[in-house]
Structure formats: C-alpha cells, structure tokens
Amino acid sequence: MKRGSLIGAFFGFIARRAIPMMLIVGICVALAVIYLRLTTYKYEVSMEVASLSIHEGDSQGSTFPNVRLLGIGGQSTGLSPFKLYIRNLESYKTAEALYTDEAFLQEMFPDRWDSENNRWIKAEGALVNLRHSFADLVDYPFSLEAKPTVDTLWKSIRQKISVEEVDDSIRKLTVYVTKPEFGIELLSKLHKVADSNARDFVEESSSRTLESLEARYERTTVKDVREQLLKQLLVHERMLVMTKGGGNFAAEEFQRPVAESAPSRPNPLIILALAVAAGMVLFLLLVLMQEKRRIDRERGPMYLDEPYKGRSGGS
C-alpha cells in the first residue's frame, strides 16, 4: 500500500470516530482548565545560612569526640553544631516549639482558622470533606480535631522546606508558600528555633560529658590516658563556653530571606497541549481495546477451543 493511501486510511479512520475523539479530548481539556483555575500559585522564599567559623576547630570542623573510646559513658553524636542545626530545621522538637506560637499557627493553616469567630474549624473543600467523612466512618480520632496537632505542623514544615547544600559550610533554605511575607517569617523562625535547639543539645551534652571526664581524670594515673582526657576536657569546656554567648550559636544568616517577585505557575499552553495529547492517547487506547474485542468475537469458538484441544491432545 502506498504512503498516501496509508495517510488517507488513517484520516478516514479518525473521521469515522471524530465525535467520540472530540468528546474525550474535550473532557481532558476541561480538566486542565479546572486545574489551571483552582491551582494555588506559590512563591519561592529562600535564605542562605553559614556555619559559624568559631566552631570550626580545624579543617574538618569540630565534632563531639567519642568519649566512649576512653571508657566514659555519655552522649556522643559525632556531629558538629552546624549539622545539629540542619537536623533541627525539620525536627519534631522544632515543631513543638513553634506550636506554642498561636499567631504563627494561624498563618501556617489559614484554611483552618476562622478569624471572624476567632476559632479553629475543619478545613473545607470537596477532597478534605471526603477525607473527614471517611475518617469519621472508620472512627479515626484526627478527623474530630479542628486545631492542627503538633504532628500536623511537623509534617507541614517538612513538606514546605527544602535544604540545598551550597558548600561544606553553607546551606540554602527554601520554602514554597502562598504569601511571601509569611515565607520570610517562617524561615526566620525555623532558623532561630533550630539554632536554639542545637545550643541546648550541645550545652546539655557537654555538661554531662564534662562530669564524667573530670571524675575519670581524677581517678586515673596513666599518663597517656590523662593527656587524652585533658584534651577532651578542653574541647567540651570550650563548647560549653560557646553555649553561654548571645546571638547565633551554630549558624548565621549568610543571606537574609528573599522572596521571588512573582509566584511560580505552570505554562497554560503547555498544560493544554498535554491535555490534548493525553486525550488523543486515551482515545487511541480505547479504539485499540474495542478492535481487540471485535477480533476476539470474530475468532470466537475456534479461538476458544484451541487451548482445550492442546491439553487433550486433539482429535
């Protein structure tokens, strides 16, 4: 068959099924339009934080020594204060600290705060209502709570924040929010609480370890061990002194929070083109399935008998 004949046959095939094809493509385009109208465009807000150089004792950075090697019990993480700070940005303890700020919580979950009546309500929306209805059906306690829980806040923070490594001592923190001013507030609060948590951990850990080191230093008479213990004592005393200072402890703002001037949004032309392509693919799949069923019906009894004859040896 010539190429022109094949093209003509293809267009004839499409023309005979133009109405169902247009219907399927139209449905896909309508869904794309609904998505474009209902989607929430978000702003990107970012800031860069740097490890405080005063904590970098050497080129490898200062970490908590493994005091267990000296036969002393205690808490040893092997992490620098900066790494503790990075971990605390998304920690449950940070969420617990932020949860006590009622104004922040209202900004974090505006769809669940009724400002007119000054009370928490369940989130509205078709999908949310369906979720709550199902939760009520299976007696899931979370569906009965209007005010977000600490666990809800923690999960929301983890979804919003992204931590990107710029180099060994600098990280870029990014959040995606509907209000850029709230994104700036969110990054500032996360930075402050995470740094405070790192400070508290180091202070508590160093205090406990110093007690153990001092007791062991007083008991031992082995020169080499005493020298090692003295080095450990100096490290932890230095770390403990640093926790008493003001301002930032583990990280400082290398670049203050900055919001993009325009929200990120999908290109409408690309979304509509993808919708048309998806409709065409779905239409062709349905046609192929229909053709396969038609061929199976035409082959009918003979096709169905073949497996049986093969098993029985035929006759």
Side-chain angles (χ1 to χ4, degrees), residues 214-278:
E214 290 171 351
R216 178 67 187 277
Y217 185 81
E218 294 295 331
R219 291 196 304 267
T220 186
T221 57
V222 181
K223 181 179 179 182
D224 291 342
V225 175
R226 287 178 65 88
E227 289 179 356
Q228 291 297 322
L229 288 170
L230 183 59
K231 291 180 181 179
Q232 302 292 342
L233 278 167
L234 293 175
V235 169
H236 284 279
E237 285 178 353
R238 177 173 176 268
M239 296 300 293
L240 191 59
V241 168
M242 300 317 326
T243 63
K244 305 301 181 183
N248 294 322
F249 167 73
E252 60 184 348
E253 293 184 3
F254 186 74
Q255 178 195 53
R256 293 188 178 278
V258 177
E260 293 291 332
S261 58
S264 58
R265 61 180 65 201
N267 189 319
L269 295 179
I270 294 178
I271 297 298
L272 293 176
L274 291 175
V276 172

Side-chain angles (χ1 to χ4, degrees), residues 100-108 182 185 189:
T100 59
D101 188 338
E102 191 71 16
F104 170 81
L105 203 60
Q106 295 166 13
E107 287 285 343
M108 192 75 174
F182 174 68
E185 179 188 0
K189 286 184 178 295

